[in-house]
């Protein structure tokens, strides 16, 4: 099965950036050569990871990076989005781990030699445990530590990096980690969730200042995840619930960044649930962005609950992915255009989009046709947003290869490349071949 786009498509123009994405903890392994992080601790806690697995080996990428760079190059992408392990770069005592830094330098050099643009995320959830031991993101000082780390990185990497994102999906590090309690460190406390969100945004602002000073040539910004919030019924209560969820999960992050204030829902929080915000914080948060990365997977449906708050209604109707997420491509166009109409956005990149499917390796092939269809539909949805007048400069498939899917462990496969964890063999799935053909077709355009 092929992915087809209209030959006039903006996505097929040579300056549109196509890439694949990964994150450090999900692929790197070699945990012995870095500081432990909050996900190591979480994995070691019984019952936290569905299959009881951890990130100690993962895709063994630190040892196999040369092979992986060849794999990325063979896909014909323009760009590779990766994240850095903070604890592979800065040691507990504050000194720089030159072996860790060297690993990234070599990797970035190899990408550059193949003309692949590096989109580097500084923080994709793997906070060093030594910082967690001092309060982690609840401690305001962590935001300043993050800016110091950003400075070290920007000074070390020079022009090897095309683009820096400060944070990946602060919604997850705040809400999933401190309110829903399903991500590390597994806390359930609304005030703490809001405080962590605020400190993450502050960390972003401080790190942006460092990046603009020490890596002014790079495209510097942040990656947010969005999900359109739909009411379960037409009732006024459910519609209100969906609007509240939209403020709480989507606008809570983008509005401070672009307008220097939280959405009005902040005022409706109980006093004991409000984050502490110091004078001047909002101005630091609202640094000008060179780009905004948007991650999209699905929509979310909400109903009003008895606490005058909102609850999500898990989807039951097919088509669903292996995560149980509804396949809802029109939601991508919807959320992109909603943000485009609501805000003055910097150039946008789709920094993650993809699906977990129940893949089977048979005769050295993975016939993941459902994933091919998913990409076809979401590339079309991206195109629809562009045709409606929005500027979108790139698209990254999540993920380059199967990897450690957080609380789900290794059971959920998001890769376009199949990983046999017993042998670490990588095999291109049908979706990788279909995407490779799109990238190649474009170059001949
Ligand atoms: C996103 C994360 C990414 C991956 C995908 C499936 O929220 O950024 O690491 O887990 O979901």
């Amino acid at each position: 099965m092929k992915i087809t786009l209209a030959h006039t498509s903006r996505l097929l123009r040579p300056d549109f950036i196509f890439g694949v994405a990964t994150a450090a903890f999900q692929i790197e392994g070699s945990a012995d050569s870095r500081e432990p992080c909050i996900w190591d601790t979480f994995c070691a806690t019984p019952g936290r990871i569905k299959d009881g697995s951890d990130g100690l080996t993962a895709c063994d990428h630190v040892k196999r990076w040369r092979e992986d760079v060849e794999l990325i190059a063979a896909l014909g992408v323009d760009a590779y989005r990766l994240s850095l392990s903070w604890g592979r770069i800065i040691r507990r005592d504050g000194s720089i781990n030159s072996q860790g830094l060297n690993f990234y330098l070599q990797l970035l050099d190899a990408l550059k030699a193949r003309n692949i643009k590096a989109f580097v995320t500084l923080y994709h959830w793997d906070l060093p445990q030594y910082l967690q031991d001092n309060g982690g993101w609840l401690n305001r000082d962590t935001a300043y530590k993050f800016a110091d780390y950003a400075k070290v990185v920007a000074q070390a990497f020079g022009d090897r990096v095309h683009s820096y994102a400060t944070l990946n999906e602060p919604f997850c590090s705040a809400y999933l980690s401190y309110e829903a309690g399903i991500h590390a460190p597994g806390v359930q406390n609304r005030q703490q969730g809001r405080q962590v969100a605020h400190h993450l945004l502050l960390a972003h602002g401080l790190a942006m200042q460092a990046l603009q000073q020490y890596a002014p040539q790079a495209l510097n910004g942040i990656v947010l995840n969005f999900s359109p919030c739909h009411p379960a019924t037409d009732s006024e209560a459910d519609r209100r619930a969906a609007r509240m969820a939209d403020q709480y999960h989507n606008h809570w992050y983008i509005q401070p960044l672009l307008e220097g204030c939280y959405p009005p829902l902040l005022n409706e929080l109980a006093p004991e649930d409000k984050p502490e915000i110091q004078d001047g914080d909002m101005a630091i948060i609202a640094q000008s962005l060179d780009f905004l990365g948007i991650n999209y997977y699905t929509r979310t449906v909400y109903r009003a609950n008895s606490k005058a708050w909102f609850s999500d209604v898990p989807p039951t109707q097919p088509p669903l992915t292996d995560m149980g997420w509804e396949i809802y491509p029109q939601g991508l166009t919807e959320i992109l255009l909603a943000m485009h109409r609501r805000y003055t956005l910097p150039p946008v990149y789709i920094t993650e989009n993809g699906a977990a499917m129940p893949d089977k390796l048979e005769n050295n092939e993975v016939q993941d046709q459902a994933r091919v269809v998913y990409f076809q539909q979401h590339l079309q949805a991206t195109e629809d947003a562009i045709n409606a007048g929005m500027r979108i400069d790139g698209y990254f498939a999540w993920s380059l290869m199967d990897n450690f899917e957080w609380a789900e462990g290794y059971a959920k496969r998001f890769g376009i490349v199949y990983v046999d964890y017993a042998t670490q063999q990588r095999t291109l799935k049908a979706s990788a071949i279909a995407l490779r053909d799109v990238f190649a077709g474009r170059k001949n355009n």
Side-chain angles (χ1 to χ4, degrees):
M1 194 186 286
K2 279 188 182 313
I3 294 173
T4 50
L5 294 166
H7 72 279
T8 50
S9 171
R10 161 82 179 93
L11 275 57
L12 295 177
R13 296 239 281 285
D15 63 337
F16 189 85
I17 291 184
F18 270 116
V20 286
T22 62
F25 190 85
Q26 295 180 277
I27 65 163
E28 282 187 353
S30 296
D32 52 344
S33 52
R34 58 161 170 79
E35 295 284 349
C37 73
I38 55 174
W39 274 92
D40 294 308
T41 313
F42 202 60
C43 292
T45 314
R48 289 304 201 174
I49 310 299
K50 284 211 180 118
D51 61 2
S53 62
D54 56 47
L56 300 181
T57 307
C59 304
D60 204 22
H61 172 69
V62 167
K63 301 210 178 82
R64 294 169 193 267
W65 65 270
R66 287 186 180 80
E67 178 195 336
D68 290 338
V69 169
E70 294 310 330
L71 188 65
I72 296 164
L75 292 171
V77 294
D78 309 294
Y80 173 49
R81 176 172 177 247
L82 67 149
S83 83
L84 308 177
S85 155
W86 187 342
R88 197 179 282 292
I89 296 181
I90 315 277
R91 289 209 188 84
R92 169 180 287 270
D93 65 7
S95 65
I96 292 168
N97 175 349
S98 53
Q99 194 196 336
L101 203 59
N102 253 331
F103 160 66
Y104 292 118
L105 283 170
Q106 285 184 291
L107 174 63
L108 293 169
D109 281 339
L111 292 170
K112 205 171 173 67
R114 282 160 190 75
N115 237 339
I116 298 166
K117 294 181 169 63
F119 277 64
V120 169
T121 300
L122 294 176
Y123 185 71
H124 200 125
W125 312 350
D126 44 358
L127 188 75
Q129 183 62 40
Y130 63 78
L131 290 175
Q132 186 67 26
D133 295 342
N134 275 333
W137 289 113
L138 281 170
N139 182 348
R140 191 179 163 87
D141 188 50
T142 300
Y144 292 85
K145 291 273 185 340
F146 183 64
D148 294 343
Y149 156 59
K151 177 179 167 187
V152 167
V153 166
Q155 285 184 317
F157 293 171
D159 67 355
R160 293 173 180 85
V161 173
H162 180 80
S163 159
Y164 285 107
T166 53
L167 308 175
N168 177 69
E169 302 188 353
F171 156 85
C172 295
S173 315
Y175 182 77
L176 296 185
S177 297
Y178 278 86
E179 292 185 55
I182 57 173
H183 277 189
V187 176
Q188 284 181 299
N189 179 307
R190 184 173 294 165
Q191 195 283 333
Q192 292 194 6
R194 294 303 100 180
Q195 193 63 59
V196 163
H198 184 66
H199 287 158
L200 283 161
L201 289 169
L202 181 66
H204 156 81
L206 294 166
M208 275 303 288
Q209 292 175 335
L211 293 173
Q212 298 297 32
Q213 183 174 353
Y214 297 102
Q217 76 290 345
L219 196 66
N220 297 318
I222 187 170
V223 170
L224 302 179
N225 59 306
F226 294 121
S227 184
C229 299
H230 290 170
T233 72
D234 229 13
S235 73
E236 179 44 35
D238 285 352
R239 283 192 287 144
R240 180 167 179 274
R243 285 195 303 270
M244 286 168 73
D246 188 34
Q247 288 192 39
Y248 202 70
H249 293 322
N250 293 327
H251 295 279
W252 205 274
Y253 304 92
I254 190 171
Q255 195 169 350
L257 293 168
L258 297 180
E259 297 180 347
C261 62
Y262 284 103
L265 188 64
L266 174 70
N267 303 320
E268 290 178 44
L269 292 184
E272 65 274 17
D273 289 340
K274 285 190 178 156
E276 193 196 314
I277 302 169
Q278 295 190 9
D279 285 353
D281 284 1
M282 300 314 291
I284 295 173
I285 291 171
Q287 300 297 311
S288 121
L289 300 170
D290 300 336
F291 84 101
L292 172 66
I294 293 184
N295 295 352
Y296 174 80
Y297 289 92
T298 188
R299 71 161 170 170
T300 316
V301 173
Y302 292 94
R303 60 172 178 79
N305 68 23
S306 55
K307 297 178 198 131
W309 200 244
F310 49 85
S311 301
D312 62 306
V313 183
T316 51
Q317 296 302 315
L320 305 179
T321 70
D322 204 30
M323 294 290 278
W325 298 348
E326 184 185 14
I327 299 179
Y328 193 77
Q330 60 273 46
L332 175 56
T333 316
E334 177 188 326
I335 198 74
L336 287 170
L337 291 179
M339 293 301 164
H340 170 62
R341 288 175 184 144
R342 168 68 186 75
Y343 297 100
T344 305
L345 298 177
V348 164
Y349 290 74
I350 313 289
T351 32
E352 284 180 29
N353 177 237
M357 294 292 172
D359 300 320
K360 291 275 169 299
L361 181 66
E362 280 162 350
N363 306 321
N364 232 9
E365 287 181 1
V366 180
Q367 288 302 336
D368 59 337
Q369 303 306 338
R371 187 179 284 106
V372 177
V373 172
Y374 184 98
F375 283 125
Q376 164 81 56
Q377 292 173 328
H378 288 77
L379 288 169
Q380 186 58 52
T382 306
E383 168 88 25
D384 291 347
I386 295 172
N387 289 340
M390 186 172 171
R391 173 170 172 187
I392 301 175
D393 286 358
Y395 174 98
F396 292 76
W398 182 271
S399 175
L400 164 65
M401 57 184 157
D402 296 333
N403 57 51
F404 177 77
E405 179 45 36
W406 309 111
E408 301 290 332
Y410 295 96
K412 303 295 180 212
R413 294 179 174 273
F414 273 92
I416 59 171
V417 172
Y418 186 91
V419 176
D420 177 340
Y421 294 107
T423 60
Q424 289 294 349
Q425 190 172 335
R426 280 87 159 119
T427 306
L428 264 59
K429 301 180 190 176
S431 56
I433 295 164
L435 284 173
R436 188 184 65 188
D437 290 348
V438 173
F439 306 156
R442 185 181 46 126
K443 282 180 186 134
N444 303 331
N445 222 20

